[in-house]
Amino acid sequence: MGVKSYKNLIKDRNLHSLHIVLTSFLGELANLGVLNQGTTNVIGLKIGKKIGRCISDLEYKIPNNDIELIMFLIDFLQICDDTIIRKDKNAIIIGIKIDKCKYCPKQIGEAEIPGSACPIPSLITSLLSYLKNKNYRIKYWNGTNQLLKKENGYCWFVIQCS
């Protein structure tokens, strides 16, 4: 793998320097063997609570509708400029455009690992739980332990409200 040109990557994904710092940090943790999707989930859940507290303390107007709140969070965190969000019964299905994601530890941070180490599903799940004071959780695809499904140029994940 490897980034061929940071100049092009920054331009194509509309990245800021902190996106490079975060993804590079995650990438190096993965390369050291201490980061995988499981540890990223644990870290994302903890960080989400802190960010939720920050959003609350700053007194942002929090949308009540789940989809609107997720759109707010994706914008607030500058996750991606191209997303798809849809509701299906008690689940919310979110698609992050692969080549526009600003948090990818593999494509930006150069993590050389099998599988994924995406912080977005656990981060958004934790923020929803904190800000709405309800129990949201990541739902794995088709009863497997697969968190992300890559399809049609998007990384898809599901959040369920219990």
Side-chain angles (χ1 to χ4, degrees):
M1 189 181 269
V3 172
K4 291 183 178 147
S5 166
Y6 276 104
K7 183 178 179 179
N8 290 338
L9 189 66
I10 289 166
K11 181 182 170 216
D12 293 345
R13 294 187 188 220
N14 191 27
L15 299 176
H16 298 283
S17 57
L18 287 178
H19 293 117
I20 304 295
V21 171
L22 172 67
T23 57
S24 295
F25 186 82
L26 291 173
E28 289 307 313
L29 287 174
N31 293 339
L32 289 170
V34 295
L35 187 75
N36 56 34
Q37 189 61 62
T39 53
T40 305
N41 288 348
V42 171
I43 293 167
L45 291 171
K46 301 284 185 185
I47 292 170
K49 290 177 185 177
K50 292 179 183 182
I51 296 169
R53 185 173 153 223
C54 172
I55 290 170
S56 294
D57 285 354
L58 292 171
E59 299 179 356
Y60 280 94
K61 182 173 173 15
I62 306 300
N64 192 40
N65 175 285
D66 287 345
I67 291 176
E68 290 175 15
L69 179 53
I70 291 169
M71 290 181 346
F72 166 82
L73 294 171
I74 287 171
D75 183 57
F76 180 82
L77 298 171
Q78 301 175 19
I79 291 174
C80 185
D81 296 333
D82 187 345
T83 58
I84 297 171
I85 306 167
R86 65 179 187 259
K87 192 139 174 129
D88 181 32
K89 299 177 186 166
N90 287 338
I92 303 161
I93 301 167
I94 302 168
I96 304 290
K97 183 80 167 143
I98 293 170
D99 63 358
K100 295 295 181 186
C101 180
K102 300 175 186 187
Y103 280 55
C104 186
K106 293 178 85 169
Q107 292 184 3
I108 302 169
E110 302 182 275
E112 296 288 340
I113 58 171
S116 62
C118 180
I120 298 170
S122 58
L123 189 56
I124 290 178
T125 301
S126 180
L127 280 160
L128 285 169
S129 294
Y130 184 91
L131 294 170
K132 293 196 73 176
N133 198 26
K134 289 182 176 179
N135 187 24
Y136 290 84
R137 63 182 177 84
I138 298 169
K139 182 179 176 194
Y140 295 94
W141 290 99
N142 302 323
T144 68
N145 64 350
Q146 183 183 5
L147 176 80
L148 293 175
K149 178 169 71 169
K150 293 184 180 193
E151 190 174 84
N152 299 324
Y154 288 82
C155 285
W156 297 94
F157 62 96
V158 180
I159 297 175
Q160 189 161 20
C161 182
S162 305

